[in-house]
Amino acid sequence: MNHTATIQRLATGVPGLDEVLGGGLPEFSFNLIAGAPGCGKTTLAHQMMFSMATPERPAIYFTVLGEPPLKMLRYQQQFSYFDATAINSSIRFVNLSDDTLRGDLDAVLQRIVAEVRTHDSAFVFVDSFRSVVLASTIEGKPNQALQQFVQQLGVLMTSWQATTFLIGEYFAESDANPVFTVADGLIWLRQSVERNSMVRKMEIMKMRGQPSLPGLHTFRITSAGIQVFAPARASTASRGYPDTAALDSRVGLGVPGLDEMLGGGLPRGYSLLVAGPSGSGKSLLAAAFLAEGARCGEKGVIAAFERRPNPFYNRSLAELIQSDDVGLVDPQTPDLSIDEIVRLLLDEIHRLKATRVVIDSLSGFELAIAPTFRADFRESLARLVIALAHAGVSVLMTSELEDRYTDLRFSPYGTAFLTDAIIVQRYIEVHSELRRVMAVVKVRGSAHSHELREFTISTEGIRIGGKLPDYVGLLGGRPTMRHAGDQSAQERVAISPADADAVLPP
């Protein structure tokens, strides 16, 4: 009979990190936290230590040639995870700088072992051993005794009945060190500056015995400490063919006549793309969608990438936000990642138990994320739609399009296929006036209107008008139309060829 050992996984206390690790930190594992100076290694170690250590399972933190404990604690207590009562009860700090500078590395190693055994430490942190290596190079060559010390320390830490951590300053994964091989877990932190954006990323390069999430994961350092933003996983949020229940349950958009064009409203849980040029009424339609939800007792969330809703922009929406019937995600930080925005949205959805979400607009969304993430915007947008679909909410997204009258597009990112329904808004010229028209392009799995309907915008909101008159042919190479019952050529109105192609029924 085969017997398998069960490894307990420890909660790190760092939001998002357990998910990235694959369920938490393996107990009794030996882990390396590496990265360049200033990327958050010490903050990450302290946040985990303050979360995991208890009087019954204490932690010990050794400083080798890094910051003295008093200076370190002075800055660490600025974070909300810091607990002064844990010092000398659950957490003990030991400064080894003097021992290290005397050069007797065997004595340093013996003291580390003695302190761990004396205090029966369940968690052991050594910070920062890499500084010792860099400080002890002789004519550009590392001290071999020091290299041996680090290797012996790593081997010892794997043998203790404790969860252990080495914190070191490494600048590249190619740095050759046997510690990398001995370590059970390797957490690599990176940071880069692009224009006015600071982007921090984490990679779990190694975590024995469990499937950690591959790739780079953005994280942010705030007053609460480190927060890691795990990506939405498509496997848990895949969308198949719409089921009968979704098509039978519809949500209203709050615009009279538009629900009828959609075949009875938007199927619950669907994503809707509203595409159109500037000023065509996309944001008003989005506000009506949220207001209709509030009228029906449904909470909503809006991610306002264009501008923050206010009474001058939309009175009803501003009032809904003030009353907390609609949650506002207002990302003003210039270095956001897609995973941060998804997390902000999901947190607000869960807080309000919201069933409707608006993203206004995709163009503003692209500008809101850090420049380093814009190259993968299409992939990022797909992850966003998948994550919201998995949350079970009905989503309305707006997309800014330049109306050139030469083509019919629904998104500049080629992502219209991701959405379940599309409404397009256009301008046409009639009697030297610009008029707005609207059409439902698709509602997946459901019948819908194919009519092109004129609509107006007033203080009462959007009002859908009648069907546009039929096209009757071309005059002088330009399509013309006439009103019902009107046979006079003088009353014919020219419209662009692109509009003719766009609205002619199939």
Side-chain angles (χ1 to χ4, degrees):
M1 180 181 293
N2 293 329
H3 296 278
T4 58
T6 301
I7 298 177
Q8 182 180 351
R9 296 176 181 178
L10 306 174
T12 62
V14 179
L17 180 57
D18 292 348
E19 184 179 353
V20 169
L21 290 173
L25 196 68
E27 188 178 26
F28 306 141
S29 59
F30 166 47
N31 304 279
L32 177 64
I33 302 175
C39 62
K41 301 183 302 297
T42 300
T43 301
L44 177 62
H46 276 80
Q47 189 170 352
M48 289 192 291
M49 181 174 64
F50 275 95
S51 176
M52 295 187 295
T54 65
E56 296 75 26
R57 294 173 56 79
I60 189 166
Y61 197 102
F62 294 99
T63 56
V64 184
L65 278 181
E67 296 176 299
L70 287 178
K71 180 182 179 182
M72 185 183 300
L73 291 175
R74 183 186 310 145
Y75 291 104
Q76 289 299 314
Q77 64 184 314
Q78 307 304 314
F79 295 105
S80 61
Y81 63 74
F82 183 85
D83 181 9
T85 63
I87 307 300
N88 294 328
S89 60
S90 301
I91 297 172
R92 176 180 173 82
F93 286 86
V94 177
N95 188 359
L96 300 175
S97 297
D98 293 339
D99 301 280
T100 306
L101 290 174
R102 280 195 292 267
D104 189 352
L105 297 181
D106 289 335
V108 173
L109 196 61
Q110 291 173 10
R111 185 179 176 191
I112 291 175
V113 173
E115 291 282 356
V116 171
R117 290 176 177 172
T118 300
H119 299 283
D120 194 21
S121 303
F123 303 97
V124 180
F125 297 79
V126 180
D127 184 7
S128 116
F129 71 92
R130 176 65 170 175
S131 299
V132 182
V133 176
L134 294 177
S136 302
T137 56
I138 301 174
E139 296 180 355
K141 297 180 179 180
N143 188 324
Q144 294 300 320
L146 194 54
Q147 290 279 26
Q148 185 178 2
F149 160 77
V150 174
Q151 293 173 29
Q152 289 177 341
L153 177 61
V155 172
L156 273 174
M157 295 179 79
T158 63
S159 64
W160 291 333
Q161 288 294 297
T163 306
T164 57
F165 302 84
L166 284 183
I167 298 96
E169 293 178 357
Y170 283 88
F171 297 88
E173 300 89 330
S174 59
D175 284 354
N177 196 300
V179 176
F180 289 3
T181 303
V182 176
D184 301 309
L186 178 52
I187 303 174
W188 207 285
L189 306 184
R190 298 176 173 85
Q191 64 180 5
S192 61
V193 178
E194 297 189 19
R195 299 181 183 177
N196 294 326
S197 300
M198 167 67 79
V199 178
R200 290 186 167 96
K201 298 181 180 181
M202 172 186 297
E203 182 180 6
I204 310 302
M205 299 185 63
K206 181 181 182 181
M207 191 56 59
R208 283 188 175 131
Q210 59 192 52
S212 59
L213 295 185
L216 298 175
H217 312 287
T218 56
F219 70 94
R220 186 173 295 277
I221 303 177
T222 67
S223 60
I226 286 178
Q227 181 175 6
V228 184
F229 301 96
R233 287 187 278 185
S235 60
T236 61
S238 59
R239 293 293 302 273
Y241 293 103
D243 54 29
T244 305
L247 295 174
D248 290 343
S249 177
R250 305 266 179 157
V251 298
L253 269 66
V255 176
L258 185 54
D259 290 343
E260 178 186 351
M261 294 175 65
L262 287 166
L266 182 69
R268 187 172 296 276
Y270 268 34
S271 56
L272 168 65
L273 176 66
V274 180
S278 177
S280 60
K282 301 182 299 296
S283 296
L284 285 176
L285 179 54
F289 173 68
L290 293 173
E292 177 66 11
R295 190 186 68 81
C296 298
E298 299 181 41
K299 299 280 189 176
V301 174
I302 179 171
F305 295 106
E306 292 288 337
R307 51 183 172 180
R308 183 186 179 96
N310 57 64
F312 301 99
Y313 168 61
N314 189 291
R315 182 181 301 276
S316 63
L317 181 55
E319 291 173 352
L320 290 173
I321 293 172
Q322 187 174 7
S323 65
D324 211 28
D325 288 313
V326 171
L328 175 64
V329 175
D330 188 15
Q332 299 298 323
T333 307
D335 53 359
L336 289 173
S337 70
I338 175 64
D339 297 316
E340 286 183 78
I341 293 172
V342 170
R343 176 50 51 193
L344 290 172
L345 280 168
L346 293 179
D347 287 347
E348 197 67 4
I349 289 169
H350 295 153
R351 182 182 74 85
L352 292 174
K353 295 181 173 57
T355 58
R356 299 186 181 215
V357 173
V358 163
I359 299 175
D360 187 25
S361 67
L362 296 183
S363 305
F365 178 23
E366 183 183 22
L367 293 176
I369 62 177
T372 187
F373 301 114
R374 291 177 190 166
D376 301 322
F377 182 70
R378 181 177 178 179
E379 177 186 348
S380 300
L381 186 57
R383 293 209 309 271
L384 172 66
V385 173
I386 288 171
L388 294 177
H390 182 53
V393 296
S394 303
V395 185
L396 188 152
M397 299 181 290
T398 66
S399 178
E400 181 81 13
L401 293 177
E402 183 180 353
D403 202 339
R404 299 178 180 177
Y405 302 105
T406 58
D407 57 7
L408 184 61
R409 297 177 301 156
F410 307 122
S411 169
Y413 315 106
T415 53
F417 71 94
L418 292 170
T419 58
D420 302 305
I422 298 176
I423 292 176
V424 64
Q425 297 174 337
R426 301 292 298 269
Y427 287 114
I428 63 171
E429 181 184 344
V430 178
H431 293 300
S432 300
E433 291 181 354
L434 282 179
R435 296 188 183 180
R436 299 178 176 91
V437 295
M438 182 185 300
V440 176
V441 176
K442 79 169 182 179
V443 180
R444 183 172 288 150
S446 173
H448 60 87
S449 170
H450 295 279
E451 297 176 348
L452 193 70
R453 306 277 289 272
E454 185 177 2
F455 70 97
T456 58
I457 297 176
S458 67
T459 56
E460 301 299 321
I462 296 176
R463 290 292 179 268
I464 304 293
K467 177 182 176 182
L468 286 187
D470 296 330
Y471 283 88
V472 296
L474 297 172
L475 287 180
R478 304 185 66 185
T480 62
M481 75 176 185
R482 61 188 178 194
H483 296 276
D486 177 16
Q487 302 297 324
S488 171
Q490 286 78 12
E491 296 295 325
R492 291 170 179 166
V493 182
I495 339 182
S496 76
D499 283 325
D501 295 336
V503 302
L504 280 174

